[in-house]
Amino acid sequence: MQTTSRIEAVGSRDTAHITGHEWRWVIIVACVLILLAFFPLIWVALRGTPGWQFMGALHNYLDGATYLAKMRIGYDGGLAVHFLHTPEIHDGAFIMLVYPLLGSLARLLDLPLLVMFHAARCATSLVMYAAIYQLGATIWMNVGTRRIFFAIASVGSGLGWVLGPLLGASDLPDLVIPEAFPVYSTFVNVHFPLSIACLALLVSLLIAALRPNVGANIDPMWWGASLLSFALSLLYPQSLVPLGAALGLYIAYDWIKRRTLERRALLWSLAVVLPALPVALYYLTIVQVNPALTIWNQQNQTLSPSPLAWLIGLGLPLVIALPALVRAVQRMEQDGDRLMLLWLVAIVVTMYLPTGIQRRFSVGIMLPVAYFATRALQDVWLTRIRRRARPLLVVGVVLIALTPLLMLFLPALPAMIGSPEYTPAALFLDADYVRAYQWIDNRTDQDDVVLAAPDGSIWLPGWAGARVVYAHQYETLNAADKRAEVSAWYTAVDSANCAALLDRYNVRYIVQGPEEAQFAAELRAAPTVCFEMLQQVVQFGDVTVYTP
């Protein structure tokens, strides 16, 4: 039986299942949200950027370039991921498999990697929104309540849009952690929304299975939980840590409260945990035995913002949720409150464990927050608001969606008004770079190394399939040292120091263009004299390619 006894209807019917009319509503709303997420790209594509090339990602472009590089591995016939943003040739590993698989699919369909990347973003976003609604429908029978949950979970965020600029705070979660906020996750990549979708479906199954007095007909669905857990272990393994901890706490609470071990809870917990264990063991082993992954793991530091920053980042949804959170702590009811509360607590705790990947445990945190916000709205706030004032809910939805709107348009505004040169860093490059990359692509493979400035190097593996000396703070091995080497080379005043870097990394081609000149200018140095000892092989407008 679904939990409707404490829920006040909001003028819509109750139903035990999702009707066709509901699915149509979900698909229409999801398509509107997806279209909104792609609006800057569509605008730029229709307006055009003469002389400039959009390189592939408007949001989190540094990581976006690494996704394209991993897709390039699949496009070239590989599956094991190795880092193309570093010059060292090293053994690959089966991590982030979704991107090599997308690259393989692009090759089979004869599609450009950028087209496949953004098509996959669109498809996984639709899956995520459907999964969020499915979670709401598992918990509530009232259609209006389901829609409230869907709205808060999908577009909810905090007060970063106003307090970020006022406080000069750039680390507020709703500004910098897209994996925590579903709609923001759709702006940046494929695996964030797909992971949130898997989490929503998995929690949906768990709530249905752990509901009091549920019949035995739910038990055959354990295989679905296992498949979703396995998928998450490949997509975003950190997401399973808080959920697994929550299930452990759930069983421990039953034992402490009743001195009995609930068999169904144990079986479903094992269905979630066991499929992920082999993958977790593989990850733990590979980062120890693969030197490249060891360095990558050491560099990959993503610490969580302060608790105050999280309070601001969760903002109005968290404030709305407070009465329901208090009641959940007091009652620990088995109708969904207990699992959602323990999951939220586990997320918060794991975000502050002494690890280098704290913020990665926050994936999907808006799902339990939206759950308690919906509970509080129905059981507390709506009973205190006169019916005539309930249209204010629409205003509330707009307020909680302002930060994603800000983050959607902020990096794209210069390009949307026809000035792509003012976009952040290397979202757009001089079109001559693309011609140079295409020329390099036809003459190199993934063992060849190209030297370019960081803002040019970041896109080169995805566009040309070759390695670079430095481009990414995590995926360039010993990144700080290599950035210093590249900086010294592009600002060298003594040609005697030019050959060492080229010989050390067996550099095949060197690129010189506006990005390299700008790189030297940012270092307050004159352009390097090293090109005097190189041989020019081809020139495309302002971009020249040299060989040692």
Side-chain angles (χ1 to χ4, degrees):
M1 134 176 210
Q2 292 191 329
T3 55
T4 58
S5 60
R6 294 186 284 112
I7 301 301
E8 175 193 346
V10 289
S12 58
R13 66 188 181 281
D14 290 353
T15 174
H17 306 285
I18 303 178
T19 65
H21 176 75
E22 284 182 87
W23 278 128
R24 286 191 292 273
W25 181 89
V26 172
I27 291 172
I28 290 171
V29 173
C31 287
V32 170
L33 292 174
I34 293 168
L35 183 62
L36 179 64
F38 279 83
F39 182 78
L41 285 179
I42 297 171
W43 181 282
V44 170
L46 293 177
R47 182 183 179 90
T49 51
W52 296 88
Q53 173 67 50
F54 170 60
M55 300 307 294
L58 285 175
H59 301 84
N60 195 12
Y61 78 95
L62 288 172
D63 287 347
T66 69
Y67 305 142
L68 288 177
K70 293 175 179 65
M71 290 177 65
R72 180 59 187 253
I73 292 171
Y75 192 88
D76 290 342
L79 186 60
V81 168
H82 50 96
F83 305 125
L84 297 180
H85 287 91
T86 195
E88 298 91 347
I89 296 174
H90 54 274
D91 293 333
F94 296 107
I95 59 174
M96 301 192 74
L97 287 175
V98 65
Y99 293 106
L101 289 173
L102 285 174
S104 300
L105 184 60
R107 184 183 72 251
L108 291 174
L109 299 178
D110 194 25
L111 290 176
L113 291 182
L114 278 184
V115 173
M116 177 56 66
F117 176 71
H118 292 297
R121 277 182 53 212
C122 180
T124 55
S125 299
L126 183 60
V127 171
M128 181 194 72
Y129 290 125
I132 290 173
Y133 195 84
Q134 174 63 50
L135 174 58
T138 301
I139 301 167
W140 291 286
M141 293 181 66
N142 183 266
V143 175
T145 308
R146 295 172 179 179
R147 292 178 177 177
I148 290 173
F149 170 77
F150 176 83
I152 297 173
S154 297
V155 304
S157 64
L159 300 173
W161 63 275
V162 59
L163 293 182
L166 285 177
L167 301 177
S170 60
D171 67 339
L172 297 180
D174 54 337
L175 299 179
V176 297
I177 307 183
E179 59 265 44
F181 303 92
V183 71
Y184 191 5
S185 76
T186 67
F187 302 167
V188 295
N189 60 33
V190 174
H191 70 285
F192 284 175
L194 193 54
S195 298
I196 294 172
C198 290
L199 274 175
L201 292 174
L202 181 54
V203 173
S204 176
L205 285 173
L206 290 171
I207 286 178
L210 301 178
R211 183 173 287 140
N213 304 318
V214 68
N217 60 329
I218 191 65
D219 290 335
M221 292 299 295
W222 66 265
W223 61 267
S226 295
L227 287 177
L228 290 166
S229 175
F230 183 72
L232 279 168
S233 70
L234 299 176
L235 285 167
Y236 208 117
Q238 297 88 347
S239 66
L240 287 170
V241 176
L243 187 58
L247 289 170
L249 291 171
Y250 190 100
I251 294 172
Y253 180 85
D254 264 347
W255 174 258
I256 294 171
K257 191 76 173 177
R258 300 187 298 175
R259 293 297 175 184
T260 60
L261 195 62
E262 187 179 343
R263 180 176 175 272
R264 172 171 285 161
L266 179 59
L267 289 176
W268 277 82
S269 298
L270 291 175
V272 172
V273 173
L274 291 181
L277 286 181
V279 182
L281 181 61
Y282 172 75
Y283 290 151
L284 291 173
T285 302
I286 201 68
V287 297
Q288 299 297 325
V289 302
N290 187 321
L293 288 181
T294 301
I295 297 172
W296 168 73
N297 190 53
Q298 293 169 347
Q299 294 182 159
N300 195 3
Q301 301 292 306
T302 51
L303 301 181
S304 182
S306 69
L308 177 59
W310 270 106
L311 291 176
I312 295 172
L314 294 173
L316 185 58
L318 183 60
V319 172
I320 294 172
L322 285 177
L325 282 167
V326 171
R327 184 177 59 191
V329 171
Q330 293 172 340
R331 301 183 182 181
M332 291 293 285
E333 294 173 332
Q334 199 177 344
D335 62 354
D337 281 10
R338 186 190 305 173
L339 180 61
M340 284 292 193
L341 177 64
L342 294 175
W343 185 26
L344 181 58
V345 169
I347 290 174
V348 173
V349 171
T350 52
M351 283 196 302
Y352 293 101
L353 292 177
T355 69
I357 53 172
Q358 293 173 339
R359 60 174 271 184
R360 298 185 185 277
F361 295 118
S362 67
V363 60
I365 192 175
M366 274 305 301
L367 297 179
V369 170
Y371 169 86
F372 287 110
T374 305
R375 284 283 197 213
L377 271 172
Q378 293 290 67
D379 297 348
V380 178
W381 301 115
L382 287 180
T383 63
R384 301 181 181 182
I385 299 175
R386 294 186 178 184
R387 189 170 297 274
R388 287 177 298 176
R390 291 186 181 177
L392 290 174
L393 285 174
V394 177
V395 177
V397 171
V398 172
L399 287 176
I400 66 175
L402 285 178
T403 298
L405 280 174
L406 171 69
M407 299 311 296
L408 173 63
F409 288 100
L410 188 61
L413 278 178
M416 293 178 69
I417 62 174
S419 301
E421 66 272 23
Y422 297 114
T423 53
L427 303 185
F428 291 79
L429 290 185
D430 188 306
D432 294 332
Y433 276 97
V434 175
R435 297 166 60 199
Y437 291 170
Q438 291 170 343
W439 184 91
I440 292 172
D441 187 18
N442 293 327
R443 291 160 178 82
T444 58
D445 57 31
Q446 292 178 8
D447 291 340
D448 292 311
V449 179
V450 178
L451 175 62
D455 283 347
S457 292
I458 191 65
W459 298 109
L460 207 149
W463 283 79
R467 297 180 177 277
V468 294
V469 178
Y470 171 82
H472 196 273
Q473 61 179 331
Y474 301 148
E475 298 200 2
T476 300
L477 305 184
N478 301 310
D481 294 339
K482 289 198 177 70
R483 182 178 177 88
E485 289 180 285
V486 172
S487 300
W489 196 92
Y490 272 103
T491 58
V493 294
D494 184 352
S495 60
N497 299 324
C498 295
L501 179 144
L502 304 182
D503 293 340
R504 183 180 306 118
Y505 300 121
N506 194 25
V507 174
R508 183 168 181 184
Y509 294 112
I510 303 95
V511 176
Q512 173 70 351
E515 292 297 329
E516 286 67 33
Q518 177 64 25
F519 181 53
E522 290 173 357
L523 296 171
R524 299 183 180 180
T528 183
V529 300
C530 292
F531 288 103
E532 297 174 2
M533 58 175 286
L534 303 179
Q535 178 182 352
Q536 178 179 328
V537 289
V538 67
Q539 183 169 0
F540 300 95
D542 294 331
V543 179
T544 306
V545 180
Y546 295 84
T547 191

